[in-house]
Amino acid sequence: MPDTPVTLTRVGAASLRAEVADVRRALALAGWARAARVAATDVVPGARTVLFEGVADLASLEDLLTSWPGDDSAVEPGPLVEVPVVFDGPDLDDVADRWATDAAGVAARLADTDLLSAFCGFAPGFAYLSGLPAELAVPRLGTPRPEVPAGSVAVADRWCGIYPTASPGGWRLLGRTTATLWDPASDRPALLAPGTRVRLVPA
């Protein structure tokens, strides 16, 4: 990354991508932009980017975003969602070995980790939960499973995630929850929308 806090790239005729240093700054920039009431139809944070869609005046938005100070402490605490989890996944013992602990230790470590929904992707309602330290990073499976059950709690790299619906997937499965992750009829369709604080509670 350059020394400037944000790098801007035009994407088509009406979208702008802002690249920042890390996931916290992506959330901070998205929140700052929304508070500034940017003229965009959608503001979508990613792992290190924020995509502004439906922008009528790209030059004006570029001028605004270059004034962002790059301060990740501006992330406003989001709502806290506690997710009950039964830790009995098929990859639990494998991850326990990688973390030099046992199954109970994996559950305890995750329960003690402050997770934050950084962005949603892959499937509606699938939140990429940040907060795992680098020493707990685990690789994805060499061959993805053809179907992962809905509600499966999983890890890959430094991310934790919960599959909202049954789908193929290559993350390592640690357990399951009965929480509804995606409800399009709800005022808040994604239970773990970006900015949500998440606590996994052993059930």
Side-chain angles (χ1 to χ4, degrees):
M1 288 291 296
D3 292 336
T4 54
V6 60
T7 300
L8 303 175
T9 304
R10 294 189 180 189
V11 183
S15 296
L16 187 68
R17 185 180 69 239
E19 183 179 0
V20 295
D22 53 40
V23 65
R24 282 191 58 84
R25 285 178 174 80
L27 281 172
L29 174 59
W32 181 87
R34 291 190 186 102
R37 298 185 181 277
V38 295
T41 60
D42 206 0
V43 179
V44 185
R48 285 179 48 185
T49 61
V50 181
L51 179 65
F52 298 86
E53 297 181 314
V55 180
D57 188 342
L58 291 171
S60 292
L61 180 57
E62 288 171 336
D63 288 342
L64 175 66
L65 295 179
T66 54
S67 70
W68 177 59
D71 184 5
D72 69 350
S73 66
V75 177
E76 291 291 332
L80 173 64
V81 174
E82 294 189 343
V83 179
V85 179
V86 176
F87 285 93
D88 61 355
D91 301 315
L92 182 59
D93 289 338
D94 172 73
V95 172
D97 288 343
R98 294 173 183 271
W99 289 5
T101 184
D102 56 15
V106 171
R109 186 63 185 267
L110 285 173
D112 289 341
T113 300
D114 293 326
L115 297 172
L116 180 68
S117 174
F119 60 97
C120 290
F122 170 65
F126 186 98
Y128 287 75
L129 306 177
S130 65
L132 290 177
E135 62 268 21
L136 297 187
V138 298
R140 296 170 186 254
L141 297 176
T143 302
R145 291 181 171 91
E147 182 170 318
V148 174
S152 294
V153 177
V155 290
D157 194 20
R158 291 177 60 183
W159 300 103
C160 183
I162 307 173
Y163 287 78
T165 56
S167 66
W171 290 32
R172 295 179 189 268
L173 307 184
L174 303 181
R176 53 194 165 86
T177 182
T178 58
T180 299
L181 280 298
W182 176 250
D183 181 3
S186 172
D187 292 338
R188 180 186 167 93
L191 178 66
L192 308 181
T196 302
R197 294 174 296 136
V198 182
R199 182 173 298 146
L200 302 181
V201 180

